[in-house]
Amino acid sequence: MLKLIHGADFHLDSPFSGLDPTSAEVRRNELRAAFTSMFHYARTEKVDMILIAGDLFDAGFVTRETLALITREAANTPCPIIVSPGNHDSVSESSVWRRGIFPPNVHIFTKGELEHFDFPSLNVRVWGWAFTSQKMEASPLTGKSVRDVGGSDGMINILCAHGDLTSARST
């Protein structure tokens, strides 16, 4: 049986501008602790894959401390980690996603169109996309079905993506 962890909307490094500075720092530390706990759980329970579906970061700016935390946790976790950047941490030429700083087990969607990563040892194909700006006007899934994207080869197909199912325009 395949063991997955799915997480989204961590919003690490959020300024929490509605809080006083001390409370904001406490809340940022709580978010980092929740993120760390997820990776600890993945290691102790021998999870096969971690899916992060958008807004890992609150914005394009990420602190060195947060990047160190993420790269350390990912490097110490033996399973594949798949990231689909969202509208708050979208992919751009200068974004953290393009710096090549993440360990090899971290797989990041970087295009605004449907793409996939294959994991033959798990018999899994993970589909997804990245927000390449703060808004996505059209769904990369429009007009597609599992048959269109390789659903007949016996692989387990999983979608890892950030979005809004209640609006035609995701923000």
Side-chain angles (χ1 to χ4, degrees), residues 13-33:
D13 287 339
S14 174
F16 292 108
S17 54
L19 300 175
D20 65 83
T22 301
S23 298
E25 186 60 29
V26 167
R27 184 68 184 122
R28 279 190 293 277
N29 288 333
E30 289 171 345
L31 285 176
R32 287 185 193 112

Side-chain angles (χ1 to χ4, degrees), residues 59-73:
F61 172 78
V62 183
T63 64
R64 268 185 272 208
E65 295 81 16
T66 297
L67 283 178
L69 169 75
I70 291 167
T71 55
R72 181 181 65 245
E73 291 298 330

Side-chain angles (χ1 to χ4, degrees), residues 75-113:
N76 291 329
T77 304
C79 68
I81 301 160
I82 296 82
V83 180
S84 174
N87 56 312
H88 282 258
D89 58 0
S90 59
V91 173
S92 68
E93 288 306 314
S94 62
S95 72
V96 67
W97 304 121
R98 296 213 184 257
R99 293 186 197 160
I101 58 174
F102 297 103
N105 63 322
V106 177
H107 306 270
I108 304 163
F109 292 111
T110 58
K111 298 177 185 172
E113 59 197 44

